[in-house]
Amino acid sequence: MNKRPTMSDVAALAGVHTATASRALNPSTSGLVNAATARRVRQAAEQLGFTPNSAARSLRTNRSFTVGVLLPDLTNPLFPPVVRGIEEALSPRGYTALLANTDNDEAKERTRFDALRGRQVDGFIVATAQREHPLLDQAHEAGVPIVLVNRRTDTRLFPWVAGDDATGMALAVEHLVGLGHRFIAHVSGPQTMSTGVTRAQAFRAAAESAGIGPESAPATIGEAYTVEAGERATHELLDRHPETTAICAGNDLIALGALHAVKARGLRCPEDLSLVGFNDMQFADEFQPPLTTVHVPHLDLGAEAARLLLEQLDRNEEKGAPAPMAKTVLLPVLLVVRASTAAPPAQRA
């Protein structure tokens, strides 16, 4: 049985000292090695079939080089690019992301969180935050390194990365007003989540700024960020406010549900009712009609969240104890205009 190749074997084949080979193969120190030398070491490692001993590395550094990522719903198209961004930022530092789906279930989330802590993850990137979140409060008390992505808690305990939701909703309303709409409604996301509250507040502010009073800018709440919730909330809205000529949806899945409700009522989009989504998720341009929506850079959100967590881990290691860091990063958004918005009809049946 062949002996597993060691770092010394790699160093000998590359013609360098063992310490140099170790630095060259460590993503966090490879920059300290001459590029040609590092390339020679990597080629030697590949030739020998050498893989670093992660257990030994963890013992030396007191890190597991793993990060737990809590996601509310893996089937939501919003989250794959977030995860991609996280992995792209973690990989050069030799970290691996361990994903856990919570289905927006508090008990399941706690179980997944505890299981990942049991695996000695170095920190967490959390996309499941509710405005009130006892688990995260407890994690903060325990000194667990955490970065929130997309959503946040009302108590600002952790670094947070998100798109600029307020600006995004303002852009959506301004677009509809510019087309001539004066009866614009909002189908919001759940008000237990920061995204639902921020976008709803921004909608009201933008409508008021455009001179549209509350009676002409009604809102209804979707109980979840799902197609089904969006469809139910839109039916409720149009039953109470049939004069509505445009809807700003809390996200693209709610917008898709709204589109279903519009078609079920024999209305056409955008001839009878214009529709704007939020997120610009994958395939939004394949809707019928293609969806006008606010583009949020989800890959960048994931990458920035990972960078903030790595900064936190590095600082904790240097100082020997966690330090408070409730930094907020809001990434710019933009409105992508497609075929689901147009001028309002001259009259409604």
Side-chain angles (χ1 to χ4, degrees), residues 133-174:
H133 210 122
L135 174 62
L136 293 179
D137 293 342
Q138 294 162 15
H140 180 262
E141 290 294 324
V144 179
I146 290 176
V147 172
L148 306 182
V149 63
N150 195 45
R151 306 174 186 170
R152 64 172 175 82
T153 57
D154 282 351
T155 51
R156 304 298 295 276
L157 301 175
F158 301 106
W160 171 52
V161 183
D164 188 348
D165 285 348
T167 295
M169 188 56 72
L171 290 173
V173 173
E174 289 169 9

Short mmCIF file of all heavy atoms in Angstrom, two decimals, residues 133-174:
data_model
loop_
_atom_site.label_atom_id
_atom_site.label_comp_id
_atom_site.label_asym_id
_atom_site.label_seq_id
_atom_site.Cartn_x
_atom_site.Cartn_y
_atom_site.Cartn_z
N HIS A 133 -35.16 38.04 16.96
CA HIS A 133 -34.53 36.74 16.69
C HIS A 133 -33.77 36.27 17.93
O HIS A 133 -32.58 36.55 18.10
CB HIS A 133 -33.58 36.89 15.51
CG HIS A 133 -33.43 35.64 14.71
ND1 HIS A 133 -33.71 35.58 13.36
CD2 HIS A 133 -33.06 34.40 15.06
CE1 HIS A 133 -33.50 34.36 12.92
NE2 HIS A 133 -33.09 33.62 13.93
N PRO A 134 -34.44 35.55 18.83
CA PRO A 134 -33.80 35.11 20.08
C PRO A 134 -32.52 34.31 19.87
O PRO A 134 -31.55 34.47 20.64
CB PRO A 134 -34.88 34.25 20.75
CG PRO A 134 -36.17 34.77 20.19
CD PRO A 134 -35.87 35.17 18.78
N LEU A 135 -32.48 33.46 18.85
CA LEU A 135 -31.28 32.66 18.62
C LEU A 135 -30.07 33.54 18.34
O LEU A 135 -28.98 33.31 18.88
CB LEU A 135 -31.51 31.70 17.44
CG LEU A 135 -30.29 30.89 16.99
CD1 LEU A 135 -29.80 29.98 18.10
CD2 LEU A 135 -30.62 30.07 15.74
N LEU A 136 -30.25 34.57 17.53
CA LEU A 136 -29.14 35.45 17.23
C LEU A 136 -28.74 36.30 18.44
O LEU A 136 -27.56 36.60 18.63
CB LEU A 136 -29.49 36.35 16.04
CG LEU A 136 -29.64 35.62 14.70
CD1 LEU A 136 -30.01 36.60 13.60
CD2 LEU A 136 -28.37 34.87 14.34
N ASP A 137 -29.72 36.68 19.25
CA ASP A 137 -29.40 37.39 20.49
C ASP A 137 -28.51 36.53 21.38
O ASP A 137 -27.51 37.00 21.94
CB ASP A 137 -30.67 37.76 21.25
CG ASP A 137 -31.52 38.80 20.51
OD1 ASP A 137 -30.97 39.48 19.62
OD2 ASP A 137 -32.71 38.93 20.84
N GLN A 138 -28.86 35.26 21.50
CA GLN A 138 -28.07 34.34 22.32
C GLN A 138 -26.69 34.11 21.73
O GLN A 138 -25.69 34.03 22.46
CB GLN A 138 -28.83 33.02 22.48
CG GLN A 138 -30.12 33.14 23.26
CD GLN A 138 -31.06 31.97 23.03
OE1 GLN A 138 -30.67 30.93 22.51
NE2 GLN A 138 -32.31 32.13 23.42
N ALA A 139 -26.62 34.01 20.40
CA ALA A 139 -25.32 33.81 19.75
C ALA A 139 -24.40 35.02 20.00
O ALA A 139 -23.20 34.86 20.20
CB ALA A 139 -25.52 33.60 18.25
N HIS A 140 -24.99 36.21 19.98
CA HIS A 140 -24.20 37.41 20.26
C HIS A 140 -23.66 37.37 21.68
O HIS A 140 -22.48 37.70 21.93
CB HIS A 140 -25.05 38.66 20.05
CG HIS A 140 -24.32 39.94 20.32
ND1 HIS A 140 -24.42 40.60 21.52
CD2 HIS A 140 -23.46 40.66 19.55
CE1 HIS A 140 -23.66 41.69 21.48
NE2 HIS A 140 -23.08 41.74 20.30
N GLU A 141 -24.49 36.98 22.63
CA GLU A 141 -24.05 36.87 24.02
C GLU A 141 -22.91 35.87 24.17
O GLU A 141 -22.02 36.04 25.00
CB GLU A 141 -25.22 36.47 24.92
CG GLU A 141 -26.29 37.54 25.09
CD GLU A 141 -25.76 38.75 25.84
OE1 GLU A 141 -24.94 38.57 26.77
OE2 GLU A 141 -26.14 39.89 25.50
N ALA A 142 -22.95 34.81 23.35
CA ALA A 142 -21.92 33.77 23.41
C ALA A 142 -20.67 34.15 22.62
O ALA A 142 -19.69 33.40 22.62
CB ALA A 142 -22.48 32.45 22.89
N GLY A 143 -20.70 35.29 21.94
CA GLY A 143 -19.52 35.73 21.20
C GLY A 143 -19.29 35.02 19.89
O GLY A 143 -18.16 34.96 19.39
N VAL A 144 -20.35 34.46 19.29
CA VAL A 144 -20.20 33.75 18.02
C VAL A 144 -20.04 34.77 16.88
O VAL A 144 -20.88 35.66 16.74
CB VAL A 144 -21.43 32.86 17.75
CG1 VAL A 144 -21.29 32.14 16.41
CG2 VAL A 144 -21.63 31.86 18.88
N PRO A 145 -19.00 34.67 16.07
CA PRO A 145 -18.84 35.59 14.93
C PRO A 145 -19.94 35.35 13.88
O PRO A 145 -20.09 34.23 13.39
CB PRO A 145 -17.46 35.24 14.37
CG PRO A 145 -16.76 34.52 15.48
CD PRO A 145 -17.83 33.78 16.21
N ILE A 146 -20.68 36.39 13.57
CA ILE A 146 -21.81 36.28 12.64
C ILE A 146 -21.88 37.52 11.77
O ILE A 146 -21.63 38.63 12.24
CB ILE A 146 -23.14 36.11 13.41
CG1 ILE A 146 -23.20 34.73 14.08
CG2 ILE A 146 -24.34 36.28 12.48
CD1 ILE A 146 -24.44 34.51 14.94
N VAL A 147 -22.22 37.31 10.50
CA VAL A 147 -22.56 38.41 9.60
C VAL A 147 -23.93 38.11 9.01
O VAL A 147 -24.21 36.98 8.60
CB VAL A 147 -21.52 38.55 8.47
CG1 VAL A 147 -21.98 39.57 7.43
CG2 VAL A 147 -20.16 38.96 9.04
N LEU A 148 -24.80 39.11 9.00
CA LEU A 148 -26.13 38.97 8.42
C LEU A 148 -26.11 39.43 6.97
O LEU A 148 -25.45 40.42 6.63
CB LEU A 148 -27.14 39.81 9.21
CG LEU A 148 -27.21 39.57 10.71
CD1 LEU A 148 -28.30 40.44 11.33
CD2 LEU A 148 -27.46 38.10 11.02
N VAL A 149 -26.83 38.70 6.12
CA VAL A 149 -26.91 39.07 4.72
C VAL A 149 -28.38 39.19 4.32
O VAL A 149 -29.21 38.35 4.70
CB VAL A 149 -26.16 38.05 3.82
CG1 VAL A 149 -26.79 36.67 3.89
CG2 VAL A 149 -26.09 38.53 2.38
N ASN A 150 -28.70 40.27 3.63
CA ASN A 150 -30.02 40.57 3.09
C ASN A 150 -30.99 41.06 4.17
O ASN A 150 -31.56 42.13 4.04
CB ASN A 150 -30.62 39.36 2.35
CG ASN A 150 -31.80 39.75 1.48
OD1 ASN A 150 -31.74 40.73 0.76
ND2 ASN A 150 -32.87 38.97 1.54
N ARG A 151 -31.19 40.28 5.24
CA ARG A 151 -32.09 40.68 6.31
C ARG A 151 -31.29 41.01 7.58
O ARG A 151 -30.18 40.53 7.75
CB ARG A 151 -33.08 39.57 6.64
CG ARG A 151 -33.87 39.04 5.46
CD ARG A 151 -34.68 37.85 5.92
NE ARG A 151 -35.37 37.17 4.83
CZ ARG A 151 -35.98 36.00 4.97
NH1 ARG A 151 -36.00 35.40 6.15
NH2 ARG A 151 -36.59 35.44 3.94
N ARG A 152 -31.92 41.76 8.49
CA ARG A 152 -31.27 42.08 9.75
C ARG A 152 -32.27 42.04 10.89
O ARG A 152 -33.49 42.02 10.67
CB ARG A 152 -30.62 43.46 9.68
CG ARG A 152 -31.60 44.61 9.50
CD ARG A 152 -30.92 45.96 9.65
NE ARG A 152 -31.81 47.07 9.35
CZ ARG A 152 -32.68 47.58 10.22
NH1 ARG A 152 -32.79 47.04 11.42
NH2 ARG A 152 -33.44 48.61 9.88
N THR A 153 -31.76 42.05 12.09
CA THR A 153 -32.60 42.15 13.28
C THR A 153 -32.79 43.63 13.63
O THR A 153 -32.05 44.49 13.18
CB THR A 153 -31.94 41.43 14.46
OG1 THR A 153 -30.64 42.00 14.68
CG2 THR A 153 -31.80 39.94 14.18
N ASP A 154 -33.79 43.92 14.46
CA ASP A 154 -34.01 45.30 14.88
C ASP A 154 -32.88 45.79 15.78
O ASP A 154 -32.53 46.97 15.75
CB ASP A 154 -35.36 45.42 15.61
CG ASP A 154 -36.54 45.44 14.65
OD1 ASP A 154 -36.31 45.55 13.43
OD2 ASP A 154 -37.69 45.35 15.12
N THR A 155 -32.35 44.90 16.61
CA THR A 155 -31.20 45.25 17.43
C THR A 155 -29.94 45.04 16.59
O THR A 155 -29.68 43.93 16.13
CB THR A 155 -31.12 44.37 18.69
OG1 THR A 155 -31.22 42.99 18.31
CG2 THR A 155 -32.24 44.71 19.64
N ARG A 156 -29.16 46.08 16.41
CA ARG A 156 -28.03 46.04 15.49
C ARG A 156 -26.81 45.44 16.18
O ARG A 156 -25.92 46.14 16.66
CB ARG A 156 -27.74 47.44 14.96
CG ARG A 156 -28.94 48.10 14.30
CD ARG A 156 -29.42 47.31 13.08
NE ARG A 156 -28.41 47.33 12.06
CZ ARG A 156 -28.28 48.32 11.19
NH1 ARG A 156 -29.09 49.36 11.24
NH2 ARG A 156 -27.34 48.29 10.28
N LEU A 157 -26.77 44.13 16.24
CA LEU A 157 -25.71 43.43 16.96
C LEU A 157 -24.59 42.96 16.05
O LEU A 157 -23.46 42.74 16.51
CB LEU A 157 -26.30 42.22 17.71
CG LEU A 157 -27.39 42.53 18.73
CD1 LEU A 157 -27.96 41.22 19.29
CD2 LEU A 157 -26.85 43.39 19.85
N PHE A 158 -24.89 42.75 14.77
CA PHE A 158 -23.94 42.10 13.87
C PHE A 158 -23.71 42.95 12.61
O PHE A 158 -24.57 43.76 12.24
CB PHE A 158 -24.46 40.73 13.43
CG PHE A 158 -24.72 39.77 14.55
CD1 PHE A 158 -26.01 39.48 14.95
CD2 PHE A 158 -23.66 39.16 15.20
CE1 PHE A 158 -26.26 38.60 15.98
CE2 PHE A 158 -23.90 38.27 16.24
CZ PHE A 158 -25.20 37.99 16.63
N PRO A 159 -22.59 42.74 11.94
CA PRO A 159 -22.41 43.34 10.61
C PRO A 159 -23.53 42.87 9.69
O PRO A 159 -24.01 41.73 9.81
CB PRO A 159 -21.05 42.80 10.16
CG PRO A 159 -20.36 42.39 11.40
CD PRO A 159 -21.43 41.94 12.35
N TRP A 160 -23.91 43.73 8.76
CA TRP A 160 -25.05 43.44 7.89
C TRP A 160 -24.76 43.93 6.48
O TRP A 160 -24.30 45.06 6.29
CB TRP A 160 -26.30 44.12 8.45
CG TRP A 160 -27.50 44.09 7.57
CD1 TRP A 160 -28.07 43.00 6.98
CD2 TRP A 160 -28.32 45.21 7.20
NE1 TRP A 160 -29.19 43.38 6.26
CE2 TRP A 160 -29.36 44.72 6.38
CE3 TRP A 160 -28.26 46.58 7.49
CZ2 TRP A 160 -30.33 45.55 5.84
CZ3 TRP A 160 -29.24 47.42 6.94
CH2 TRP A 160 -30.26 46.90 6.13
N VAL A 161 -25.02 43.06 5.50
CA VAL A 161 -24.83 43.40 4.09
C VAL A 161 -26.16 43.22 3.37
O VAL A 161 -26.81 42.17 3.49
CB VAL A 161 -23.76 42.50 3.42
CG1 VAL A 161 -23.55 42.93 1.98
CG2 VAL A 161 -22.45 42.55 4.19
N ALA A 162 -26.57 44.22 2.62
CA ALA A 162 -27.84 44.15 1.90
C ALA A 162 -27.81 45.07 0.70
O ALA A 162 -26.92 45.91 0.56
CB ALA A 162 -29.01 44.52 2.82
N GLY A 163 -28.80 44.91 -0.17
CA GLY A 163 -29.00 45.89 -1.22
C GLY A 163 -29.69 47.11 -0.63
O GLY A 163 -30.29 47.05 0.45
N ASP A 164 -29.61 48.22 -1.33
CA ASP A 164 -30.23 49.46 -0.87
C ASP A 164 -31.73 49.40 -1.17
O ASP A 164 -32.21 49.93 -2.18
CB ASP A 164 -29.57 50.65 -1.55
CG ASP A 164 -30.02 51.98 -0.98
OD1 ASP A 164 -31.00 52.00 -0.22
OD2 ASP A 164 -29.39 53.00 -1.31
N ASP A 165 -32.48 48.74 -0.28
CA ASP A 165 -33.91 48.49 -0.51
C ASP A 165 -34.71 49.78 -0.64
O ASP A 165 -35.61 49.88 -1.47
CB ASP A 165 -34.48 47.66 0.64
CG ASP A 165 -34.07 46.20 0.57
OD1 ASP A 165 -33.54 45.78 -0.48
OD2 ASP A 165 -34.28 45.48 1.56
N ALA A 166 -34.39 50.77 0.19
CA ALA A 166 -35.16 52.02 0.16
C ALA A 166 -35.02 52.72 -1.19
O ALA A 166 -36.01 53.16 -1.79
CB ALA A 166 -34.70 52.94 1.29
N THR A 167 -33.80 52.79 -1.69
CA THR A 167 -33.58 53.41 -2.99
C THR A 167 -34.24 52.60 -4.09
O THR A 167 -34.83 53.15 -5.04
CB THR A 167 -32.08 53.54 -3.28
OG1 THR A 167 -31.51 54.45 -2.33
CG2 THR A 167 -31.82 54.07 -4.68
N GLY A 168 -34.18 51.28 -3.99
CA GLY A 168 -34.78 50.42 -5.01
C GLY A 168 -36.28 50.63 -5.13
O GLY A 168 -36.82 50.75 -6.24
N MET A 169 -36.97 50.70 -3.99
CA MET A 169 -38.41 50.91 -4.05
C MET A 169 -38.74 52.30 -4.55
O MET A 169 -39.72 52.50 -5.30
CB MET A 169 -39.03 50.67 -2.67
CG MET A 169 -40.54 50.69 -2.65
SD MET A 169 -41.32 49.49 -3.80
CE MET A 169 -40.96 47.94 -2.96
N ALA A 170 -37.92 53.28 -4.18
CA ALA A 170 -38.14 54.64 -4.68
C ALA A 170 -38.01 54.68 -6.20
O ALA A 170 -38.79 55.34 -6.89
CB ALA A 170 -37.14 55.61 -4.04
N LEU A 171 -37.02 53.95 -6.75
CA LEU A 171 -36.85 53.89 -8.21
C LEU A 171 -38.07 53.26 -8.88
O LEU A 171 -38.50 53.71 -9.95
CB LEU A 171 -35.60 53.07 -8.55
CG LEU A 171 -34.25 53.70 -8.21
CD1 LEU A 171 -33.12 52.69 -8.45
CD2 LEU A 171 -34.01 54.95 -9.05
N ALA A 172 -38.64 52.23 -8.25
CA ALA A 172 -39.81 51.56 -8.82
C ALA A 172 -41.01 52.51 -8.89
O ALA A 172 -41.70 52.61 -9.91
CB ALA A 172 -40.15 50.33 -7.99
N VAL A 173 -41.25 53.22 -7.79
CA VAL A 173 -42.38 54.14 -7.75
C VAL A 173 -42.17 55.30 -8.73
O VAL A 173 -43.08 55.69 -9.47
CB VAL A 173 -42.59 54.67 -6.32
CG1 VAL A 173 -43.66 55.77 -6.31
CG2 VAL A 173 -42.99 53.54 -5.38
N GLU A 174 -40.96 55.84 -8.76
CA GLU A 174 -40.66 56.94 -9.69
C GLU A 174 -40.88 56.53 -11.13
O GLU A 174 -41.38 57.30 -11.96
CB GLU A 174 -39.23 57.41 -9.48
CG GLU A 174 -39.00 58.16 -8.18
CD GLU A 174 -37.53 58.37 -7.90
OE1 GLU A 174 -36.70 58.09 -8.78
OE2 GLU A 174 -37.20 58.82 -6.78
#
